[in-house]
Amino acid sequence: MSISLENILGLKVKITNVLDNVTQGKVYSFNSSNNTITLIVSRKNKTHTFKIIKTSFIKHLELVGEKHNPSSFKKDQIKPSYVNIDRVQNRLHHSIEEAKSKEKLIGKNVTYEGQFIFDLINKTISDTRWKGKSIIVLDELEIAPPYQIKNVKPVPGKKDVKSKDLIEKIVHTAWNRLENERKGG
């Protein structure tokens, strides 16, 4: 007996796909334009879990339980959940701000080594930023390309910089790690 998929909306079915995987659920919808059938496979905590199956992958479809008269079929409505628009907007704003702050940590047109050194310094000292291709640390030190220890210099106007030794150690460590990375170690 052949059954039109439009006539099984709301009925419980067991579908076996071409890989012999079995899925059981209630038919939520059938889309003839893209040949998919949507099943409600579970309901937990008042939320539904849906599974979408291409009809070309269906090996066998079997009705489970009582067969309903299609003319008396009454589709269960799924009520949409409440969405707090303010919360969504706050999350979106927060995500955008976070993305902008992460973008500031990525140097434009800098070498791999420069970005590596920047990231290593930024892990220790969060007040690190890019100024063109130079790294600025604590608004006191500037590390210009090629980012060697000899390129760690005070920002113009700063003379007594206490963090220079620490930054030079971090730059030295970074170059050691880069060298080990190149050697495969």
Side-chain angles (χ1 to χ4, degrees):
M1 175 175 129
S2 177
I3 297 175
S4 172
L5 291 175
E6 285 93 2
N7 294 332
I8 64 168
L9 292 177
L11 299 179
K12 288 188 179 183
V13 294
K14 184 159 86 172
I15 295 177
T16 305
N17 67 15
V18 293
L19 299 173
D20 290 325
N21 293 332
V22 177
T23 304
Q24 189 167 335
K26 189 175 181 182
V27 178
Y28 179 72
S29 70
F30 168 70
N31 186 334
S32 59
S33 64
N34 64 6
N35 290 321
T36 58
I37 187 168
T38 304
L39 300 180
I40 300 174
V41 292
S42 69
R43 184 176 177 170
K44 296 178 181 174
N45 301 331
K46 297 184 182 180
T47 60
H48 297 274
T49 301
F50 296 90
K51 187 163 192 175
I52 300 172
I53 303 170
K54 288 285 275 180
T55 56
S56 59
F57 297 139
I58 295 176
K59 182 177 178 181
H60 181 72
L61 186 141
E62 177 184 336
L63 291 177
V64 178
E66 297 180 24
K67 295 177 175 78
H68 296 286
N69 183 356
S71 61
S72 67
F73 171 66
K74 181 180 175 185
K75 187 176 177 185
D76 292 338
Q77 294 292 321
I78 296 177
K79 296 177 184 173
S81 300
Y82 169 74
V83 176
N84 184 336
I85 299 297
D86 291 334
R87 185 173 176 209
V88 171
Q89 287 177 335
N90 286 341
R91 275 185 156 177
L92 177 62
H93 178 71
H94 176 71
S95 295
I96 290 170
E97 291 302 317
E98 192 174 298
K100 285 180 181 177
S101 67
K102 283 184 180 179
E103 183 182 21
K104 290 178 183 176
L105 300 178
I106 299 172
K108 309 296 183 249
N109 300 317
V110 298
T111 61
Y112 171 78
E113 292 83 1
Q115 187 65 52
F116 184 84
I117 291 167
F118 177 92
D119 292 340
L120 198 61
I121 294 170
N122 192 47
K123 283 181 186 177
T124 307
I125 301 170
S126 61
D127 189 6
T128 305
R129 61 183 172 84
W130 286 103
K131 181 180 177 186
K133 291 187 178 187
S134 295
I135 301 170
I136 305 295
V137 183
L138 296 170
D139 289 326
E140 295 179 343
L141 292 171
E142 179 176 0
I143 309 167
Y147 312 104
Q148 299 288 335
I149 294 174
K150 65 183 177 185
N151 302 109
V152 178
K153 306 223 188 266
V155 172
K158 298 280 184 173
K159 292 182 181 174
D160 187 28
V161 180
K162 297 175 184 164
S163 58
K164 188 175 182 194
D165 290 339
L166 173 64
I167 300 306
E168 286 177 345
K169 285 180 186 177
I170 295 172
V171 170
H172 180 71
T173 301
W175 280 107
N176 285 341
R177 287 186 187 176
L178 286 165
E179 193 62 35
N180 286 336
E181 191 177 285
R182 286 188 186 122
K183 290 179 182 176

